[in-house]
Amino acid sequence: EVQLEESGGGVVRPGGSLRLSCAASGFTFGDYGMSWVRQAPGKGLEWVSGINWNGGSAGYADSVKGRFTISRDNAKNSLHLQMSSLRAEDTAFYYCARPSGSSIPSYFASWGQGTLVTVSS
Amino acid sequence: EMVMTQSPATLSVSPGERATLSCRASQSVSSNLAWYQQKPGQAPRLLIYGASTRATGIPARFSGSGSGTEFTLTISSLQSEDFAVYYCQQYYMWPPLTFGGGTKVEIK
């Protein structure tokens, strides 16, 4: 069974930094691209960033480009999102999502339960 | 950026009735369109991919159709567990991957 477990969320002040992690199990992590998708409380879904199977290619939403960095460690079956220069509008649940294959543009067959990031002074 | 527009924003339906949800893309996405269901406090669940292929374990009452810019998700006979928010997502053009704003299906 595919399992994705996010961690690292919390309360941070505007301008601060936070690192999210996603622990993957139940599948061969290195065979799949991975993405982060966020959802502000009571709002819709927004794709944040994605990375291909070996970390050689990554993409970002314009809203986070230059502030967030996605990375992965295939040896540890883990995905990360380094977030800096955080803004109030970054407040959201952040989901780790696995697409159908090794590349980034895909639908998301599996999702974690999400971790909440709150940016507030 | 590919803009995905869902309509209506809210759909009021009685149990047992048919529900038809629409999703429109600002440019053609071919058949690279997925549908998700999300219930309160839960992560989204994949229902449909490739515009019309049901994901594993999804009941046959859920069906998807369309290609290009116009897509439809149909729930043939609404069950109590189907009341939720539904999102479409295109994966034809990126970055970014984009979602529609969602349609809430509520009990009439």
Side-chain angles (χ1 to χ4, degrees):
Chain A
E1 180 191 1
V2 173
Q3 291 196 332
L4 301 169
E5 185 172 356
E6 302 93 341
S7 61
V11 180
V12 61
R13 294 187 184 278
S17 298
L18 210 56
R19 187 185 193 227
L20 305 184
S21 296
C22 172
S25 60
F27 65 102
T28 303
F29 182 70
D31 285 351
Y32 291 86
M34 295 294 295
S35 276
W36 289 97
V37 177
R38 70 184 180 184
Q39 185 171 38
K43 303 297 184 182
L45 300 170
E46 179 189 18
W47 177 82
V48 172
S49 180
I51 189 168
N52 75 332
W53 67 278
N54 66 357
S57 177
Y60 299 89
D62 284 347
S63 58
V64 307
K65 198 175 296 181
R67 301 187 299 123
F68 290 12
T69 302
I70 192 171
S71 63
R72 65 187 297 158
D73 185 339
N74 287 350
K76 296 183 178 179
N77 294 341
S78 60
L79 175 73
H80 305 285
L81 186 68
Q82 179 67 48
M83 305 185 294
S84 60
S85 302
L86 283 162
R87 307 166 180 167
E89 54 264 37
D90 295 318
T91 294
F93 287 93
Y94 285 73
Y95 294 101
C96 170
R98 194 203 82 175
S100 62
S102 61
S103 60
I104 301 168
S106 180
Y107 56 90
F108 300 111
S110 301
W111 299 68
Q113 283 306 301
T115 187
L116 178 61
V117 173
T118 302
V119 184
S120 175
S121 55
Chain B
E1 173 176 321
M2 184 77 69
V3 177
M4 307 301 292
T5 303
Q6 290 187 243
S7 62
T10 303
L11 186 61
S12 298
V13 185
S14 299
E17 289 188 341
R18 182 186 194 91
T20 303
L21 290 66
S22 295
C23 175
R24 174 177 291 178
S26 58
Q27 304 173 55
S28 175
V29 299
S30 185
S31 294
N32 296 290
L33 191 284
W35 290 94
Y36 301 87
Q37 176 193 70
Q38 188 179 33
K39 297 179 180 179
Q42 296 184 16
R45 177 175 73 144
L46 176 68
L47 297 176
I48 301 284
Y49 62 92
S52 61
T53 303
R54 277 190 302 277
T56 303
I58 301 303
R61 64 180 181 273
F62 291 91
S63 64
S65 63
S67 66
T69 62
E70 302 282 345
F71 300 89
T72 300
L73 174 69
T74 301
I75 311 171
S76 60
S77 177
L78 272 157
Q79 306 299 301
S80 57
E81 62 266 29
D82 300 335
F83 292 97
V85 180
Y86 293 83
Y87 295 95
C88 62
Q89 178 230 333
Q90 68 83 19
Y91 48 98
Y92 180 73
M93 187 180 294
W94 81 288
L97 301 173
T98 49
F99 292 87
T103 291
K104 181 179 181 180
V105 177
E106 63 176 25
I107 301 174
K108 186 174 182 180

